[in-house]
Amino acid sequence: MLRSVPKVGFIHKSLLPESSHLDDISHVVGPVIARDTQVLENYLGPMVPSSGGIQTPGAGVYQASYKPIYHIPIPPRRPSPAAQCSCSRNLPLELIDQVDSYFEKLVGMYFEHLYPAFPALEEQCIVTKLSDKTIMPRTFLVNFIAYVLFYWNLGPELMLHSRPDQDFAWQVAVQAMMADIQRGDVAAVVSTVLNVAGRPSKGFISNMTSVSRIVAISHSCGLNHDCREWQIAGSEKKLRWKLWWTILIHDRWLNFAQGTPPHINKAHYDVPTPTIELLASDRMNIPKHYRAAECYIELCRLTEIIGDVLPLIYHVRSGNDGLAAEQTSRSEIELNRWYQARPKWIEYDEFSHRPMIPGLANLQLSYLAVRMLLRRIAWHEICQTEPDPCSSWLEGCLEAAENIVRFVCSLKPIDLAGFFLPYNAHHFTSAVTLLLRCGLQTSDLMVRRRSMQSARTLVDCLRRYKDEYNWDMAETALAQSETVLKRIEDALPRTPSMMHQTTQVAQQTSTIDDAFWDNPMLQFPGFGWQGQPEELFPGVFSDLNADSILFEPYTQI
């Protein structure tokens, strides 16, 4: 029993059950995902640990219903090579030796496929120094190698050879960073930004700590200042400019995805948005590279928009009434302006004919995630002021989540192998959770079916990508959403004869296009059910009456 109700986003150890150890199994997420998860908890009850030893969503709600605080499990960390080896091996040198014969091809592949999508380095400066590995910091080298190894198959010549062990590469990279933790210079920042952007992401806590560290170092190094008038070399100016925006992207998007407050205040930097001139390289005459630079600039502008709304989401002191709603409205306007001012070749809502531009798919997902975030906040705010808000608010959330379903279903193998910021994988979890919440909080049976079908489509599509292509971005959503969705479906009556009728209803009521609903993954039994939820979940709904929050707007999100 809790002695008091803590604020959103904070949970003191003294308020936890004796058997809970947040330090090593989970982390607390912010109020946006916590509100959605709380709704699922109200209907399904707490989840139990899965057979794999990882807790499923819901195991960590320790608060009164009107102040949801939710923690998600953290997969156990892989043991570092140093912990398994008592000998005096030089692990960084071993890694460098493993890729020595492929190193030039790795560098070329990086600047061809990855640098255009996420230009964290200054090409002229780095290429010159990489020609002599002895003058490059060892920590940078191992982090660069670990980062690029994931994209090994993007290089036609590299595909002919076996890829070195990437788990080993990441372990060596992290170990090198830990040994180098006392350094507080620009070189340390360069190594860390590559580490945080690397895939597959295995170090949840490590990444959050790394971002906090490079934000602090960047301020001490003055990276947050516009250096264009400084008396330093032009290549260093470009590097500092690019590095700051890389840090800003990491800070805002990682914390947005993880549900934690960002570290950088908009008033504390004056580095302008990157320009085409800044990103120009010898390859800029190639249309793919020019358009990739435009995508990156659009991502930076979008980063500014979320920088305005995130601080208010995590505001836990009193006096925030109404501020979130006002800022959300302003951010919606800014997002619409950003959308209208985009390069005309970019279509954020067009997924079936996506051009093969580095970083474009990541940009689309980022935009869809911001749109979904603003819709969720608006729904929450209107529910605080109106006892019976118009159904269009829920419809807006449903449509925003369905757009992410459409996006995921449109991905091709080349997209799966391309560039994504690793923490954007959490947006899939958010979409599934929001879809389930929309389905549970509506009295409209067709909308409920539509929500549940979309959630199933997203989970099944992610499962297929994981099984067939080993897509790392699917792992988080599957670990946190698959069990919850299956539990709901298992409670539904099996009525295969209703399948055709259900699909017809979904086609008539959804905003998703016909090709999407033709997906065979949508055709599963159970959603022809015309009864009430208490008949499906008697253990959950036995204490609810006709005024259940399922049939009334849920005002305590």
Side-chain angles (χ1 to χ4, degrees):
M1 180 66 67
L2 297 180
R3 296 193 297 271
S4 62
V5 179
K7 294 288 186 179
V8 171
F10 174 80
I11 188 164
H12 195 274
K13 292 180 182 178
S14 64
L15 300 178
L16 294 176
E18 292 296 328
S19 60
S20 296
H21 302 284
L22 275 182
D23 291 338
D24 56 9
I25 63 168
S26 61
H27 97 292
V28 175
V29 298
V32 176
I33 188 66
R35 291 169 190 140
D36 293 342
T37 305
Q38 179 72 2
V39 173
L40 303 187
E41 287 287 343
N42 288 341
Y43 296 116
L44 300 181
M47 297 291 147
V48 297
S50 65
S51 58
I54 302 299
Q55 288 182 314
T56 52
V61 180
Y62 291 111
Q63 70 296 319
S65 61
Y66 67 96
K67 283 289 187 181
I69 297 176
Y70 178 66
H71 71 87
I72 60 174
I74 298 173
R77 292 190 307 171
R78 294 178 182 273
S80 70
Q84 303 177 64
C85 179
S86 59
C87 60
S88 58
R89 292 168 57 187
N90 187 328
L91 298 175
L93 185 58
E94 286 186 23
L95 175 61
I96 294 172
D97 288 342
Q98 282 185 23
V99 302
D100 185 63
S101 58
Y102 313 113
F103 190 74
E104 290 186 6
K105 294 182 176 63
L106 282 174
V107 172
M109 188 264 290
Y110 168 79
F111 284 106
E112 175 66 24
H113 298 288
L114 304 178
Y115 173 82
F118 199 60
L121 310 177
E122 172 52 31
E123 181 174 3
Q124 181 181 359
C125 177
I126 297 298
V127 169
T128 301
K129 293 182 178 180
L130 283 177
S131 61
D132 184 359
K133 294 190 286 296
T134 61
I135 65 174
M136 291 297 293
R138 185 66 57 84
T139 302
F140 170 78
L141 273 178
V142 295
N143 276 278
F144 178 82
I145 292 169
Y147 178 81
V148 179
L149 280 182
F150 180 85
Y151 301 94
W152 179 273
N153 289 333
L154 290 180
E157 295 177 329
L158 293 171
M159 289 178 62
L160 303 176
H161 307 278
S162 298
R163 178 171 60 185
D165 187 345
Q166 193 178 14
D167 284 339
F168 172 76
W170 275 127
Q171 291 164 11
V172 174
V174 172
Q175 182 191 12
M177 286 178 56
M178 294 300 101
D180 209 23
I181 198 169
Q182 297 302 320
R183 291 185 56 182
D185 55 11
V186 172
V189 175
V190 173
S191 300
T192 308
V193 297
L194 286 178
N195 186 281
V196 174
R199 292 169 53 201
S201 180
K202 300 294 185 183
F204 178 86
I205 296 299
S206 174
N207 284 341
M208 295 183 68
T209 304
S210 295
V211 169
S212 301
R213 176 171 170 254
I214 60 175
V215 168
I217 295 175
S218 67
H219 282 93
S220 68
C221 294
L223 291 176
N224 57 314
H225 295 291
D226 184 355
C227 65
R228 288 177 296 176
E229 302 301 322
W230 291 12
Q231 299 301 312
I232 57 177
S235 59
E236 185 176 349
K237 289 180 183 180
K238 290 184 176 181
L239 178 60
R240 295 175 68 91
W241 192 350
K242 293 176 182 178
L243 266 184
W244 174 255
W245 276 93
T246 304
I247 295 165
L248 191 64
I249 288 170
H250 278 331
D251 178 54
R252 290 186 176 163
W253 290 95
L254 181 141
N255 285 293
F256 168 29
Q258 311 290 18
T260 48
H263 301 89
I264 299 175
N265 188 304
K266 191 173 184 179
H268 296 165
Y269 65 92
D270 61 356
V271 182
T273 305
T275 62
I276 288 291
E277 291 71 27
L278 170 69
L279 305 176
S281 68
D282 294 339
R283 302 182 182 87
M284 200 56 72
N285 60 333
I286 303 175
K288 181 181 76 170
H289 286 256
Y290 187 90
R291 290 188 168 186
E294 289 185 311
C295 283
Y296 181 72
I297 292 172
E298 292 305 302
L299 177 63
C300 292
R301 291 173 177 164
L302 188 60
T303 301
E304 288 279 61
I305 294 175
I306 67 167
D308 291 330
V309 69
L310 290 184
L312 286 178
I313 296 176
Y314 307 115
H315 190 114
V316 297
R317 291 177 179 262
S318 59
N320 191 38
D321 298 341
L323 293 179
E326 294 176 10
Q327 182 58 63
T328 302
S329 298
R330 288 196 295 269
S331 296
E332 281 277 10
I333 294 172
E334 288 301 315
L335 186 63
N336 289 332
R337 290 174 177 170
W338 172 86
Y339 185 95
Q340 295 300 325
R342 73 192 186 280
K344 295 307 180 184
W345 67 270
I346 298 180
E347 294 293 342
Y348 294 110
D349 299 314
E350 172 56 49
F351 309 129
S352 57
H353 299 94
R354 182 187 304 107
M356 292 294 103
I357 303 298
L360 177 57
N362 178 78
L363 177 62
Q364 285 183 316
L365 176 58
S366 300
Y367 160 69
L368 297 175
V370 175
R371 178 68 75 189
M372 184 170 66
L373 172 69
L374 294 176
R375 295 284 175 84
R376 294 161 85 180
I377 297 173
W379 186 24
H380 168 64
E381 293 300 322
I382 197 66
C383 286
Q384 302 303 301
T385 57
E386 296 185 17
D388 187 16
C390 176
S391 60
S392 63
W393 295 97
L394 184 148
E395 174 68 28
C397 288
L398 180 55
E399 180 182 355
E402 285 179 334
N403 280 334
I404 290 186
V405 180
R406 291 176 54 219
F407 168 81
V408 172
C409 290
S410 74
L411 294 175
K412 299 176 177 62
I414 188 64
D415 299 314
L416 303 180
F419 172 82
F420 282 94
L421 291 170
Y423 34 79
N424 276 358
H426 290 266
H427 301 320
F428 305 143
T429 305
S430 297
V432 174
T433 307
L434 183 57
L435 287 166
L436 294 178
R437 178 184 176 183
C438 289
L440 289 172
Q441 286 195 248
T442 181
S443 58
D444 188 320
L445 293 179
M446 290 190 295
V447 173
R448 187 180 303 156
R449 292 191 206 99
R450 171 182 159 191
S451 301
M452 299 300 295
Q453 287 175 324
S454 294
R456 168 49 61 189
T457 299
L458 179 53
V459 169
D460 280 356
C461 195
L462 291 173
R463 170 52 64 189
R464 181 165 62 86
Y465 292 161
K466 178 65 177 66
D467 292 344
E468 296 182 11
Y469 303 102
N470 197 29
W471 198 40
D472 59 309
M473 297 284 286
E475 292 177 357
T476 299
L478 291 174
Q480 297 175 4
S481 305
E482 212 169 18
T483 301
V484 175
L485 180 58
K486 187 175 187 303
R487 182 175 176 182
I488 295 175
E489 292 173 350
D490 285 347
L492 293 171
R494 299 296 173 177
T495 54
S497 61
M498 307 292 282
M499 289 163 50
H500 180 66
Q501 173 189 348
T502 303
T503 304
Q504 285 184 326
V505 171
Q507 290 173 333
Q508 295 169 0
T509 59
S510 176
T511 58
I512 297 178
D513 55 48
D514 291 339
F516 172 73
W517 285 113
D518 287 340
N519 192 320
M521 289 188 291
L522 287 175
Q523 300 175 9
F524 59 94
F527 285 101
W529 178 249
Q530 298 290 332
Q532 298 301 324
E534 55 267 30
E535 297 177 61
L536 301 179
F537 304 100
V540 176
F541 291 95
S542 58
D543 296 329
L544 301 180
N545 54 32
D547 296 323
S548 166
I549 56 176
L550 182 65
F551 305 105
E552 295 291 338
Y554 185 59
T555 58
Q556 307 297 343
I557 301 179

